Amino acid sequence: MDSTIVALLAQDGLTNGSIYCLLALALVLVFAVTRVIFVPQGEFVVYAALTMASFDGARTPGTVWLLLALGGAAWLADTVKLRREPRRMALAWLATAAPCVAAAGLVAWVAASKAPFVVQALTTVLAVTAMGPAVYRLAFQPVASASVLVLLIVAVALHFVLTGLALLFFGAEGVRTPAFTSASFSFGNITVSGQSLLVYAFTAVLIVVMAVFFRYALFGKALRATAANRTGARLVGISPDFAGRLCFTLAAAIGAVSGLLIGPITTVYYDSGFLIGLKGFVGAIVGGLVSYPIAAGGALFVGLVESFSSFWASAYKEVLVFTLIIPVLLWRSLSTTHSDEEE
Amino acid sequence: MAEALLQVEELSVAYGQVEAVRGVSLHVARGQIATVIGPNGAGKTTLLGAIMGLLPSRGAIRFAGDRIDGRDTEALVRRGISLVPERRELFADMTVQENLELGGFSRRRAGESRAALANTMEEVFALFPRLKERLPQLAGTLSGGERQMLAVGRALMGKPKLLLLDEPSLGLAPLITRDILHTISRLRESGLSVLLIEQNARAALQTADYGYVLETGELSLEGEADRLLHDERVIATYLGRH
C-alpha cells in the first residue's frame, strides 16, 4: 500500500465519516432530549436520497404520498385527541400536519416544473424535515413518558414501518444521485474530489450552526434544558411535546442533508437507512450517547475503519466496523457505575 | 378575607391504591402567603405536585376563578403559576444566567421582549445580589443556599401571580433560611401570592398570613397564622415549648 492509496482511503473514510458524524450528532440530540434511541434516523437519509433521485429522473417523488400519509395521520390523531380544545387543535395542526401537506405540495410542484438542481435540493431538505414532527407526533408523543426500553421498541417498529413505506412509495430499485460538482483538486500526487470537499464543508457548517443554536438561541437552550432536567424544563413552561417535536425536526433536517451528501457517493436502496444509521449509532455509542464531540470523533473513526477495512478485508467490512463497539462497551461497563434509570 | 386567587376543593391524589392526599380544601388569598405545615410524609409535596399538574388528581382547582385541574404544567406556567420544587430541579450543566433566562421561556414565547426579561432579571438580582456575582457559573457548582436562590429566581423570571414553594429551607443553614423567608415576605408586598410548604413550622407560620396543618394526607387544622402559632395542639406537636 503506497501513500496514494492511503490518501485515497483516508479521503473516502473521512467523507463517509463526516456523514456518520452528522447522524451521530442527531442520535445524541434525540436521545438526550427524548430518551429515544432513534433507530430510524437512517430512513430520513434514504428518503432524501430517493426524493432527489426522483427529481433527477423527472418523476414525481413518492415523497408526496408519504408526506400526505404522515400529515393525514397526524391531523387525525390531533383532531381526535384535542377535539374539545379547538385552539390547541389548530396549533397542533399547524405544528405537524400543515408542514407535511405544504411540503407535499411543494415537492409536486417542483417535480412538475423541472426546477434547477439547487431548488430540488432545498425542496428535498424541506420535505424530509417536515416529516420529523409528524413522526414524533405519531410514534413517540403518545408514549413520551414510557421507559427507555419501550421507546426503543417503538423506534425499532417505526424503522420497519418507514422502510416498508419507502418500498411502497419509491420501489426496490437502488439510486445514485448526480454529484453536486465534478471538479477535483490535486495536491501533489493526491487528488481530492470536489464532492468530498463539499461533504466536509457541509458537515463543518452544520456543526457550527448547531453549536451556535444550542449556545445562543432560546429554543436551543430549551432543548438543552429538557435534556438536563425534564421536570425543571416543564416548570419553566417548556413542554416535552414541544421539545420532542423540535428535536425530531432537527434530526430529520440533519438526515435530509446527510441524504443529499451521501446520494452521489453510495447507491441508496429503500432499506439502506438501517446500516447507514447504525454506523452513526456506533459513533454515538463511543460518545456514550451524551457527548457531542466524542460522538463526532467516533463517527469519523468509524468512517476511516470502514474505508481501510474495505481495502484489506472487504468481505469483513461491516463486521469490523461493528466490532468497534465491543471494546467501547467493555470499557464503559468497567468505567461507569450503574445508575437506575431517571424517571 | 381578601379574594381567593387559588382555590382547591376536595383534592385527592392517589399513588395506585394508596391515597396520599384525601379531600383537601384550601385557598390562597390574593397578595397573601398561605402555608401548609405538617410532618414528613404528610402529603405536602404531593399536594403541590397535583396543583401544578405534575400528578393526576381528583377534585377542583381554581385559579383566578377558572378551573385549572387537568391542565398541563406548561399551561399553568403561562397562566402565572410557578413552582419551586423541593429538589430545585435546576439545569445543572447550564450557567446561572441561562437558568434565569429559561425561567422567562414562556414569556419570550408569548412575545415579550428581551428587555422586559432583563428588567425582571434586575429585580431578581435586587432580591438575591449573590446570583449576579455567580452569573457565568454552572448551576451544578453552586452552594445549597445559592441553588435555592437560583430556583426562586428562576421561578420569578416567569413573573408569576402565584408562587408555590416546596420546603425552601430544606438542607439550608438557619441564617440562609431566614434570608429566603424574609425575601418571600418582601415579594408579598409586590403583590405576589405564595403557597409555602414547610417542615419548619415556626418559621413558616411567622412568615405566612394563613396556615393549614396537613397530617397523613388530610387537613387537621387551619386558621390565621398568628392564631396557629399560639394554638396548643400546634405548639405541642410542631413548635415545642420554650
Side-chain angles (χ1 to χ4, degrees):
Chain A
M1 177 193 270
D2 61 20
S3 64
T4 323
I5 296 178
V6 171
L8 205 67
L9 291 175
Q11 188 190 332
D12 255 13
L14 286 178
T15 309
N16 283 331
S18 300
I19 292 162
Y20 301 152
C21 173
L22 291 179
L23 297 177
L25 295 180
L27 286 168
V28 173
L29 168 68
V30 168
F31 182 73
V33 175
T34 63
R35 299 173 306 134
V36 172
I37 296 170
F38 193 48
V39 183
Q41 176 65 36
E43 262 68 70
F44 289 136
V45 178
V46 167
Y47 287 160
L50 294 176
T51 305
M52 209 49 205
S54 301
F55 279 140
D56 187 47
R59 297 184 302 272
T60 301
T63 326
V64 175
W65 309 115
L66 190 61
L67 281 164
L68 288 178
L70 281 172
W75 175 83
L76 192 66
D78 282 328
T79 305
V80 171
K81 173 107 193 292
L82 301 169
R83 59 191 178 282
R84 290 200 187 85
E85 299 171 78
R87 213 183 90 85
R88 285 183 67 195
M89 185 161 75
L91 288 176
W93 288 347
L94 279 180
T96 46
C100 284
V101 175
L106 184 66
V107 172
W109 178 75
V110 167
S113 68
K114 306 208 169 30
F117 182 78
V118 179
V119 176
Q120 293 177 349
L122 283 177
T123 305
T124 302
V125 172
L126 283 179
V128 175
T129 304
M131 293 176 192
V135 163
Y136 177 76
R137 170 63 191 88
L138 291 168
F140 296 106
Q141 188 172 314
V143 290
S145 53
S147 70
V148 171
L149 180 63
V150 170
L151 293 173
L152 174 64
I153 293 169
V154 173
V156 172
L158 181 66
H159 154 69
F160 286 118
V161 171
L162 292 180
T163 310
L165 289 175
L167 178 60
L168 178 66
F169 289 122
F170 293 98
E173 206 150 323
V175 299
R176 204 176 260 251
T177 56
F180 285 45
T181 166
S182 53
S184 65
F185 307 90
S186 295
F187 303 95
N189 58 351
I190 301 164
T191 308
V192 181
S193 73
Q195 179 70 25
S196 292
L197 289 179
L198 264 182
V199 171
Y200 305 151
F202 262 109
T203 307
V205 167
L206 214 57
I207 287 176
V208 170
V209 168
M210 274 173 76
V212 170
F213 173 73
F214 284 116
R215 199 174 165 84
Y216 298 107
L218 181 69
F219 284 0
K221 287 180 195 166
L223 284 185
R224 277 167 61 208
T226 309
N229 189 322
R230 241 170 287 278
T231 309
R234 296 191 65 187
L235 291 176
V236 297
I238 305 167
S239 93
D241 294 349
F242 166 78
R245 268 202 315 269
L246 182 57
C247 89
F248 269 70
T249 309
L250 288 176
I254 292 171
V257 173
S258 309
L260 290 187
L261 295 177
I262 209 170
I265 302 172
T266 343
T267 306
V268 175
Y269 297 88
Y270 71 96
D271 61 351
S272 301
F274 186 62
L275 268 190
I276 299 172
L278 212 52
K279 284 170 193 158
F281 182 70
V282 175
I285 283 292
V286 173
L289 277 179
V290 283
S291 165
Y292 292 93
I294 303 179
L300 282 180
F301 185 59
V302 168
L304 287 172
V305 169
E306 183 188 34
S307 141
F308 280 90
S309 56
S310 64
F311 179 77
W312 276 312
S314 61
Y316 295 102
K317 185 178 88 166
E318 315 288 11
V319 177
L320 287 174
V321 168
F322 294 122
T323 310
L324 271 183
I325 214 168
I326 294 175
V328 174
L329 290 180
L330 198 63
W331 172 70
R332 286 209 158 264
S333 69
L334 294 175
S335 65
T336 6
T337 47
H338 174 78
S339 65
D340 285 326
E341 188 180 305
E342 177 214 359
E343 282 304 324
Chain B
M1 161 136 344
E3 179 202 351
L5 180 63
L6 177 77
Q7 215 163 359
V8 174
E9 286 157 29
E10 291 293 319
L11 188 80
S12 297
V13 188
Y15 294 106
Q17 297 288 316
V18 186
E19 276 209 317
V21 169
R22 283 188 303 278
V24 167
S25 298
L26 57 80
H27 69 273
V28 182
R30 248 178 233 275
Q32 293 206 341
I33 301 179
T35 186
V36 178
I37 60 171
N40 232 340
K44 304 193 295 295
T45 297
T46 305
L47 176 65
L48 280 196
I51 294 174
M52 199 64 209
L54 292 167
L55 298 169
S57 61
R58 282 181 291 116
I61 307 172
R62 284 193 177 79
F63 179 71
D66 299 330
R67 282 288 286 264
I68 57 163
D69 41 282
R71 301 284 297 274
D72 293 338
T73 305
E74 304 80 40
L76 300 185
V77 174
R78 282 198 295 278
R79 283 293 307 262
I81 308 178
S82 280
L83 167 67
V84 180
E86 189 179 346
R87 295 165 46 150
R88 328 293 199 230
E89 310 286 6
L90 295 171
F91 309 122
D93 51 5
M94 300 177 82
T95 64
V96 169
Q97 171 149 15
E98 288 173 325
N99 270 273
L100 289 174
E101 282 170 8
L102 284 164
F105 179 81
S106 279
R107 293 173 58 200
R108 281 296 302 283
R109 276 210 85 188
E112 286 196 48
S113 68
R114 269 171 203 276
L117 253 74
N119 279 339
T120 315
M121 208 182 279
E122 285 304 323
E123 290 168 27
V124 170
F125 293 150
L127 293 170
F128 304 112
R130 189 85 68 85
L131 290 181
K132 193 167 188 174
E133 298 161 23
R134 297 277 186 262
L135 271 184
Q137 202 171 318
L138 294 183
T141 65
L142 297 176
S143 73
E146 289 165 345
R147 278 181 213 199
Q148 185 57 278
M149 291 175 198
L150 180 55
V152 176
R154 187 181 71 178
L156 292 176
M157 285 297 294
K159 279 229 166 217
K161 298 183 184 79
L162 173 69
L163 187 64
L164 309 175
L165 280 168
D166 194 355
E167 302 272 4
S169 75
L170 193 78
L172 298 187
L175 268 181
I176 300 175
T177 304
R178 211 186 57 193
D179 266 9
I180 289 202
L181 290 178
H182 180 68
T183 308
I184 293 163
S185 317
R186 279 172 62 192
L187 288 172
R188 166 180 45 189
E189 284 149 29
S190 66
L192 184 71
S193 313
V194 179
L195 179 57
L196 169 68
I197 299 277
E198 253 305 338
Q199 261 196 76
N200 184 341
R202 184 182 303 277
L205 289 173
Q206 282 168 350
T207 312
D209 301 290
Y210 200 85
Y212 297 88
V213 180
L214 187 69
E215 287 171 328
T216 57
E218 287 176 75
L219 288 180
S220 60
L221 206 59
E222 68 175 277
E224 302 290 331
D226 277 346
R227 198 171 62 73
L228 288 183
L229 265 175
H230 298 102
D231 185 286
E232 283 299 318
R233 283 166 295 174
V234 174
I235 292 172
T237 320
Y238 299 106
L239 303 178
R241 289 176 199 279
H242 286 272

